[in-house]
Amino acid sequence: MNWEKELLDLYDANQDIVGKVDAEGTVLLPLFHTTVKAQVEVKIDKDGNFIGANKVLKDDDVTIIPITFESGSRTTNNMPHPLCDSLQYVSGDYSKYCVDEESDKFKPYFKAYIEKLEKWAESEYTNEMVNSIYKYLKKGMLIHDLINNNIIDTTKEGKIDYDKKINGIKQNKLFVRFIVEDDGILYRCWLDNDTHKSFIRYYRSTLTEQKLDYLTGSMEGITYSHPKKLRNEGDKAKLISSNDNTNYTYLGRFNNKEEAFSIGGETSYKIHNALNWIIRKQGKSFDSFTIVTWESSQQKMPNWDDDAEDIVSTCDEFYIDCSDGETEKEYDSNYLTAKRFNDALNGYGKSISNTSKMILISLDAATQGRVALTEYKSLESSKYLENIYKWHMEGGWRHKKYKNGKIIEYVGMPSVKDIAKILYGTEENGKMIIRKNSEKLYANVIKRLIPCIWDGRRVPYDMVQKSIIKASMPLSYDSHFDWEETVSLACSFVKKYRLERCKEEWNMSLDKECKDRSYLYGRLLAIADRIEYSTYDKEKDKKRVTNAKRYMNAFSQRPYTTWRVIEESIQPYLAKSDPGIRIYYSKLLDEVQNLFTLDTFKDNKKLDGLYLLGYHSQAFEMNNKKSEK
């Protein structure tokens, strides 16, 4: 199945909510409709008499309006919308109140508008609202009424004051929507489902020429003007376009654009409206890049780019019991285990059917006029959950994060956004951030990690190396927490890298039998760091950095020669320790050094990423022993 069919199915599966604005303000648009921002609201009665008007509040200005193929793609041409439009189109008296040099230019605009509205109002598909609006507007009194109601300000000459604005829009370009009052009940044209259906039936009747729709194989009214506003209300970029018949569009292969490609109008609007809706509902945007995922049956599923803790939290929120019925729920709420994560994914799995799928679509734009579909993936929902589990468990390591004012610990992978911040962010006020003008970095990381999570492909080698390099430079961080996050990410990446490339499985627990040179040197570094740190005063030495951390970068490059410097530096701290502590650490150093051979110990070449696993596991082991004591 292709992405167009996925979007068609999404639209058809949600017919019951078409035209209904939800609590978050998102709406699945009806066919041949779009959204605009209105600044003025005009109230009339059912006989077309003016009642009043008011300025629209900014948080309520999004308005659903009917459009034609031509008006939906207009720029500066005379192509009016069928019902609601800007003053130049809907005001019969606009030429009387505009500046003199514009009076002749805009006379045809109202004429074209009112003629089209009249055809709809007099057709068999009309309704009372359309008739009422037509009766009022054909009087040509709109601007006169708006001025008398203090909606529009005028100059001394009685003309529209172009310098005044409503919600940032100049008065001569205000967009108008209508409310019809009947027996005390207010009917808002932009929310009236009967009016939406009335226009759809009417516009279908005007599409008399039927041609082959290349997407569905059915005969439809064909359009070459496709909707905009895919990613947001101000988005002018089009996903499908055809407007060049003079240069190299067809490259001599076709006589005209009809031979190259044709899409039915209804098909086009279903595809674009479904994509518009799902992006606003659950899409994510970073600069020009937008990505959205959904489950074919609209079931709640874990976000592929979340960390393990967020996935479990979301499961707890939507599914009361995420366990398999046998799991003991006696777990520390501040520490998420791998078992709890597995139970959460099982909870999600209970809600899906055998035929459900997860779909991913991403869009990006190099220019303001064109947007490209950069990624499309369709995966069985069960396989999606399996790959999510694989991602978090193959790279599973201990991580920490701040949430609701406290530190949460979890086993798994960090979120994709956190990975981007750790790898490419800058530290500011004790937090890693990616600046607003660098959001393309987020997009780049997302694009590169999609295949790793969705398809189970290898983690990019340069990301693994970058995490190791950054973790080896603790002095470049002001916050110890930020550096710990980097070390944890590096451990996750190295663990997954070694499994993918070398078929090695590394556990988070300390491997006391491992004789790998890098792993052992990492253990020595952690012990040296703990020896010195254990003698520090918690208050006086808050900002002191141990020699182990000070030399960490050099140690990763030249371990043998650097270790001699570090070992000499820790001797005074060993001497300062209590006899029992001194004996414990000395014995621990001897145990690790005895696992080396003479050749591997004297080997001074650069350490690989395993030294961070050894460092982190040894540090965790010593911290736990300290807690137990």
Side-chain angles (χ1 to χ4, degrees), residues 258-271:
E258 288 83 359
E259 291 182 358
F261 192 55
S262 65
I263 302 177
E266 294 198 21
T267 299
S268 173
Y269 272 85
K270 282 185 177 182
I271 289 172

Side-chain angles (χ1 to χ4, degrees), residues 41-66:
E41 208 167 67
V42 174
K43 186 189 296 184
I44 58 177
D45 64 21
K46 64 178 181 179
D47 297 318
N49 298 312
F50 181 82
I51 297 176
N54 60 275
K55 298 175 183 178
V56 178
L57 298 176
K58 260 197 167 184
D59 59 357
D60 186 38
D61 60 359
V62 176
T63 306
I64 303 171
I65 65 165

Side-chain angles (χ1 to χ4, degrees), residues 205-264:
S205 71
T206 66
L207 302 175
T208 54
E209 187 178 5
Q210 304 286 299
K211 292 184 178 180
L212 178 66
D213 172 16
Y214 283 19
L215 290 180
T216 64
S218 61
M219 301 299 289
E220 288 186 32
I222 300 300
T223 181
Y224 295 96
S225 299
H226 301 278
K228 300 179 286 188
K229 303 182 181 181
L230 283 176
R231 296 169 295 175
N232 53 65
E233 286 301 313
D235 189 10
K236 296 180 180 179
K238 288 191 174 185
L239 183 59
I240 305 172
S241 64
S242 171
N243 62 356
D244 178 12
N245 56 9
T246 58
N247 294 314
Y248 299 102
T249 301
Y250 316 117
L251 299 177
R253 292 173 295 171
F254 303 102
N255 291 322
N256 50 53
K257 61 186 179 185
E258 288 83 359
E259 291 182 358
F261 192 55
S262 65
I263 302 177

